[in-house]
Amino acid sequence: MELTKIVESYNYVKSKMNQVPEIGIILGSGLGELADLLEEKIIIKYGDVPNMPTSTVKGHAGQFVSGKLHGKNVIMMQGRFHYYEGNPMELLSLPVYIMEKLGVKKLIVTNAAGGINTSFVPGDLMIINDHINFAFNNPLIGTNDEEIGTRFPDMSNAYDKDLINIAKEVSKGYGIGAKEGVYLMMTGPNYETPAEIRMARILGGDAVGMSTVPEVIAAVHCGIKVLGISCITNMAAGILDKPLNHIEVMETSNMVKDKFKKFVINIVAKM
Ligand code: HPA
């Protein structure tokens, strides 16, 4: 991503902000309500930010919401961009770089995902401890600007161990019962075939989804610490004898939103 483009987008967002956010939160499908809990809220529509694509998926608003959560300065993305919408993967990194320039040091990335691990049930929350990039594309492909980050980022600790430990503590303390595992990204937009899910399981995936990995790569690239949380909205294809659909995904995320909110708020308090 060209630095000049990032700066142009950042300048616009910065001009609307009244605080320096230290924590960024990207809200996945059906999880956008968390933004309603912010105090001293400021809303910045993606459509008004230079160079930003607009978000198109149902269940995704398209805006940055900044404000205070538990006394901490936070910026949330209510709605995100997906590769399957036709966005060049490079563009998915833009909001992350904007947040970094605004001052974000830690990023919570959330998503709806299908459960591959058969010990999971719909409604579970999973702390992401690693990922597999099965989209076979990368937001960093292209020229690299060393001012943003190194050409060859180290992904050995992409999901920050301290943040994972905080999430585990909160899970215990508040009876969240969060699982932990590996997120595998497929491009979508179709849900996977049962054979693809069997393959994903053999390869070490615990949950499958169509987002998150590009943003996490960009965050690692520019030095932001990441915590990933998947909401298991359904069992992945072929595990249960029933078809998958976006309505079920939205219904489950709606069902678990109170647990999700409690989890994230209390993580933010300890970050
Ligand atoms: N597969 C891919 N993405 C998803 C799923 C799934 O089963 N559920 C929610 N997002």
Side-chain angles (χ1 to χ4, degrees):
M1 186 97 228
E2 271 172 58
L3 190 58
T4 48
K5 270 195 178 163
I6 298 169
V7 170
E8 193 185 2
S9 311
Y10 156 78
N11 282 340
Y12 178 84
V13 177
K14 178 73 185 167
S15 73
K16 302 287 170 198
M17 300 274 293
N18 62 350
Q19 50 116 334
V20 175
E22 55 173 314
I23 297 169
I25 306 180
I26 302 178
L27 298 168
S29 289
L31 304 172
E33 256 190 39
L34 192 67
D36 299 341
L37 301 179
L38 285 176
E39 285 161 26
E40 300 171 34
K41 225 184 302 179
I42 284 177
I43 290 176
I44 303 160
K45 300 253 179 231
Y46 297 152
D48 294 335
V49 181
N51 308 317
M52 286 273 278
T54 45
S55 184
T56 61
V57 187
K58 263 190 200 155
H60 285 262
Q63 55 197 24
F64 287 110
V65 187
S66 101
K68 281 192 193 300
L69 190 64
H70 255 296
K72 302 230 165 120
N73 291 344
V74 171
I75 183 161
M76 297 191 187
M77 287 184 71
Q78 208 175 26
R80 61 141 61 83
F81 309 115
H82 299 87
Y83 185 45
Y84 63 73
E85 290 170 281
N87 298 305
M89 206 175 259
E90 189 187 56
L91 211 46
L92 308 188
S93 64
L94 176 63
V96 176
Y97 294 137
I98 295 172
M99 287 193 269
E100 192 274 332
K101 283 218 155 298
L102 290 169
V104 167
K105 305 273 186 270
K106 295 168 189 168
L107 180 67
I108 304 179
V109 187
T110 70
N111 58 56
I116 297 173
N117 186 323
T118 52
S119 76
F120 294 175
V121 294
D124 275 346
L125 299 176
M126 182 188 91
I127 301 164
I128 304 176
N129 58 22
D130 208 346
H131 76 221
I132 297 172
N133 182 357
F134 225 76
F136 304 114
N137 198 343
N138 194 299
L140 307 185
I141 288 175
T143 52
N144 185 61
D145 194 324
E146 291 283 332
E147 270 191 55
I148 307 172
T150 176
R151 172 78 288 188
F152 302 111
D154 174 26
M155 297 294 286
S156 341
N157 284 299
Y159 298 85
D160 187 75
K161 294 214 164 59
D162 293 335
L163 295 180
I164 289 175
N165 284 334
I166 289 173
K168 282 183 177 173
E169 251 172 57
V170 170
S171 171
K172 238 192 210 156
Y174 290 84
I176 304 287
K179 305 294 197 317
E180 194 181 333
V182 173
Y183 178 87
L184 184 142
M185 180 195 178
M186 298 261 190
T187 66
N190 60 283
Y191 292 110
E192 300 70 32
T193 65
E196 285 166 348
I197 293 305
R198 289 194 297 274
M199 174 199 71
R201 184 178 302 117
I202 290 166
L203 297 182
D206 294 293
V208 60
M210 308 173 193
S211 67
T212 300
V213 164
E215 294 121 315
V216 171
I217 291 172
V220 170
H221 184 229
C222 66
I224 298 177
K225 291 186 172 158
V226 174
L227 175 70
I229 302 169
S230 289
C231 170
I232 306 299
T233 52
N234 57 282
M235 292 315 289
I239 295 177
L240 305 175
D241 188 19
K242 67 183 206 179
L244 308 186
N245 62 67
H246 190 55
I247 294 169
E248 183 194 2
V249 168
M250 296 305 292
E251 276 172 1
T252 311
S253 47
N254 196 42
M255 226 174 57
V256 299
K257 68 184 178 203
D258 290 334
K259 179 167 77 169
F260 172 80
K261 282 193 252 186
K262 187 161 79 172
F263 193 35
V264 176
I265 292 167
N266 288 293
I267 290 170
V268 167
K270 287 194 154 75
M271 272 170 93

